[in-house]
Amino acid sequence: MKLFKTYIPYLAVGAVAFVFAILSEWNDDAIAYSFYIPGSGEDESFTPIATLRDIWESQINHYSNSNGRFVAHFIVQIFCGLLSKPWFAVINAFAWMALVFCITRFSNNAKDFRTSSLAAILAILLFFTLPFTPPFQINYVWTACALLIWLRCFFSQKKETSVGLVLLMIFSFLTGEMHEGFSIPAGGALLYCLAMRRGRFTCKEWCLSLSFAAGALTSIFAPGNFWRMSQHRAVEGSLLNTFEQLPALIWFPAVFLIIFLFHNKGHLKEFLSQPRMRFLIVMAATSLVFNLFLKNFGRGIIPYDLCFVLLSVGCVAGKRTDTGLLAAGTAVAIAVMAFQAFNIHMQNLKTRTIFREYDRSESGTIYLKDNLFLFNRTETAQRRNTYTNRLRQKNPSKPFLVIYPEVMKDMDCLKDTNAVIKVGDQSWVCIRSASCPRDFVVEKTILPSAISRKMQPRVLDFSSGSDIFLDSTSNYSSVLYVNVRPYIKADVIIE
């Protein structure tokens, strides 16, 4: 009975993950990966994935032109192109159960309800805000699970047969290739391990390390990654953006310190002297440096946060997890799940509305209610081709999809003119004339009014750069500007 109770958190997380995945409408990247990805110079009109050979050729093109995560995206295209949502929901539920199990066993090796509950809570806090569609779940949840299985094999003292070692080497290569955001930090920690042991690895450790490194290098040096980095550098934000995101780096370290102090009353240095814990600290540090270099603090810091999740579970080893701490963590986890349920509802509503209105539209132009238009605003603008291709399967002559906020529906501004249309409290659509273009300038003032300091004005970018490009015709171009900083008041004017 006690052993069964230990598995309740695993089953609960798996059940919720199944429900969220089955309720989530596939949109955005999930639609894009259901089509063949063309290579350079190939026809850009996408063809639906029909066979494993289509996926293989598609991922070769993707590897060359966009992204080095061949293994992860091969699996993504299997689900998006060949299998259905129920298949993904079931397998993803098992992936979530395996993830929580691996977090518990790698850090703690405990078999009690409280420890598995703590692992489940922290996994929810870290991963549950991701969309429950194949591209996001496989790239992050499945990759994290694969990495933890690999780390457990690496640190295991169990001797392997020749066949078992070969299979582990194949698994190591595939794991290293899945996601550079995980493999680079793990690789940095492996180098630290090698240095601390003065190059003395066992045969098994050498085999697993070199296989993992080969997979990681295959992913990192993909030609598509260099293209992605050039694009990222072209549109990256200011230094202010980087500093704004720094608080995201302290949440999970703070959680770790709170849990540690609740259960250890000091001796932090002694705890971190354990080989696995030192490995996690170096892995977190490598991830931090990597993301500081890229100025990427969104999903890029998930591997960094994962290290502190593992440290948090590890520091309660051999101890009874505090009841109050578990209760507070459960409340926060429920709030995170409620937040994600709301996001899924809004995204489903938006996706269904886009398909319905686009199906009815003869011109291809549709108008969304302002709140739907602004929800996940980058996806509104950047993924129109995926919706276009999906609807063109039914009607090949369908015009290209154009999405505008409802406030513009009856306006006469979509002609050769310059105009600013407010679509939210701090959101504007800017229309620029093709024949007599004017500059659109963002003026910003730091709040509160007692400070009232004006920032340097900025001209909006109508070339699909740092601002959200919407549409371009022979008469006009349009972009969306949204001020997301609550301590700044912005306004857009035409010069």
Side-chain angles (χ1 to χ4, degrees):
M1 182 64 186
K2 183 179 179 180
L3 187 61
F4 172 75
K5 190 178 178 182
T6 302
Y7 290 99
I8 290 177
Y10 307 148
L11 297 172
V13 167
V16 177
F18 172 81
V19 171
F20 277 32
I22 207 72
L23 291 178
S24 297
E25 293 280 349
W26 284 7
N27 53 68
D28 199 7
D29 284 347
I31 297 176
Y33 283 115
S34 69
F35 292 94
Y36 174 82
I37 300 173
S40 298
E42 290 186 355
D43 185 6
E44 288 295 326
S45 58
F46 290 2
T47 303
I49 291 292
T51 65
L52 286 175
R53 182 175 179 177
D54 289 344
I55 297 176
W56 179 264
E57 294 176 355
S58 182
Q59 282 308 309
I60 289 175
N61 295 332
H62 200 27
Y63 182 85
S64 299
N65 302 324
S66 179
N67 196 299
R69 303 169 198 168
F70 187 98
V71 173
H73 290 140
F74 192 95
I75 300 170
V76 167
Q77 287 205 288
I78 289 175
F79 286 103
C80 293
L82 300 180
L83 300 179
S84 58
K85 189 197 296 183
W87 275 101
F88 171 71
V90 170
I91 298 174
N92 192 54
F94 281 103
W96 268 93
M97 288 188 281
L99 174 68
V100 178
F101 179 84
C102 289
I103 290 173
T104 306
R105 293 304 173 86
F106 175 76
S107 302
N108 196 314
N109 207 28
K111 298 179 181 179
D112 64 275
F113 173 76
R114 287 172 176 264
T115 304
S116 56
S117 295
L118 177 63
I121 289 168
L122 294 174
I124 288 170
L125 298 184
L126 178 55
F127 291 105
F128 242 71
T129 54
L130 293 169
F132 276 78
T133 55
F136 293 96
Q137 294 292 300
I138 292 170
N139 266 293
Y140 294 96
V141 175
W142 293 30
T143 299
C145 186
L147 179 65
L148 291 179
I149 293 171
W150 180 82
L151 286 174
R152 189 166 170 81
C153 293
F154 177 80
F155 283 104
S156 171
Q157 300 300 315
K158 178 184 175 183
K159 291 186 177 180
E160 302 292 341
T161 63
S162 298
V163 174
L165 188 58
V166 170
L167 291 175
L168 279 177
M169 289 174 68
I170 295 172
F171 176 72
S172 299
F173 177 86
L174 296 176
T175 301
E177 209 283 332
M178 285 186 78
H179 195 305
E180 72 285 351
F182 288 85
S183 56
I184 288 175
L190 279 175
L191 289 174
Y192 168 79
C193 243
L194 187 63
M196 289 298 99
R197 296 192 197 178
R198 298 181 181 179
R200 291 192 291 270
F201 271 6
T202 65
C203 177
K204 174 186 170 182
E205 289 171 340
W206 273 117
C207 289
L208 267 61
S209 298
L210 292 175
S211 301
F212 183 88
L217 292 173
T218 301
S219 174
I220 293 165
F221 289 102
N225 279 341
F226 294 97
W227 176 85
R228 284 177 65 219
M229 285 188 67
S230 67
Q231 294 298 109
H232 174 77
R233 291 294 180 186
V235 301
E236 68 183 6
S238 64
L239 191 60
L240 177 60
N241 290 341
T242 303
F243 280 112
E244 279 183 332
Q245 296 180 85
L246 288 178
L249 298 173
I250 68 172
W251 301 128
F252 279 93
V255 168
F256 160 64
L257 287 175
I258 291 169
I259 294 174
F260 182 86
L261 293 174
F262 259 87
H263 297 89
N264 292 272
K265 311 300 181 186
H267 309 293
L268 181 62
K269 185 177 180 180
E270 180 182 337
F271 169 72
L272 295 179
S273 67
Q274 300 174 52
R276 291 194 185 193
M277 302 308 140
R278 288 202 308 267
F279 184 95
L280 293 173
I281 289 295
V282 176
M283 182 174 164
T286 309
S287 179
L288 175 61
V289 171
F290 177 58
N291 285 287
L292 284 172
F293 169 74
L294 292 179
K295 297 183 181 178
N296 178 21
F297 297 102
R299 291 186 294 271
I301 64 168
I302 285 178
Y304 167 86
D305 289 333
L306 177 62
C307 294
F308 287 98
V309 166
L310 295 168
L311 289 168
S312 299
V313 177
C315 74
V316 300
K319 302 174 180 64
R320 180 181 171 86
T321 309
D322 185 81
T323 303
L325 205 59
L326 280 180
T330 302
V332 175
I334 290 172
V336 169
M337 288 189 286
F339 173 77
Q340 181 64 334
F342 171 77
N343 282 340
I344 289 172
H345 165 72
M346 289 295 292
Q347 187 61 63
N348 288 350
L349 179 61
K350 180 175 182 176
T351 302
R352 291 166 186 162
T353 303
I354 288 174
F355 279 130
R356 183 181 68 248
E357 296 302 318
Y358 183 45
D359 195 33
R360 294 173 181 173
S361 173
E362 295 182 0
S363 66
T365 300
I366 69 170
Y367 298 89
L368 294 179
K369 290 184 177 179
D370 294 352
N371 64 326
L372 283 184
F373 179 83
L374 293 173
F375 181 81
N376 197 358
R377 57 191 177 276
T378 53
E379 180 265 342
T380 302
Q382 295 173 359
R383 298 300 178 183
R384 294 174 301 165
N385 61 324
T386 60
Y387 295 107
T388 301
N389 290 325
R390 176 60 62 86
L391 265 295
R392 281 179 177 172
Q393 289 182 272
K394 185 168 67 173
N395 181 2
S397 62
K398 198 73 177 170
F400 192 79
L401 172 65
V402 178
I403 305 174
Y404 280 122
E406 194 174 52
V407 70
M408 297 173 62
K409 190 171 186 178
D410 299 317
M411 289 188 176
D412 198 32
C413 65
L414 299 183
K415 294 182 180 179
D416 194 355
T417 186
N418 296 286
V420 177
I421 299 109
K422 197 167 186 177
V423 293
D425 183 42
Q426 286 282 280
S427 308
W428 298 265
V429 171
C430 303
I431 313 288
R432 185 167 71 175
S433 166
S435 62
C436 51
R438 305 277 293 277
D439 282 339
F440 290 71
V441 177
V442 179
E443 295 183 341
K444 300 177 182 178
T445 304
I446 299 177
L447 300 175
S449 55
I451 300 175
S452 192
R453 184 187 172 203
K454 290 197 173 185
M455 298 176 66
Q456 183 72 25
R458 180 172 74 85
V459 178
L460 289 181
D461 186 355
F462 279 77
S463 60
S464 303
S466 57
D467 298 300
I468 299 175
F469 180 78
L470 295 180
D471 191 27
S472 180
T473 71
S474 59
N475 293 325
Y476 67 88
S477 297
S478 58
V479 298
L480 171 69
Y481 172 75
V482 180
N483 172 38
V484 296
R485 297 185 177 108
Y487 58 87
I488 287 177
K489 179 178 174 57
D491 199 9
V492 180
I493 62 172
I494 303 174
E495 282 198 332

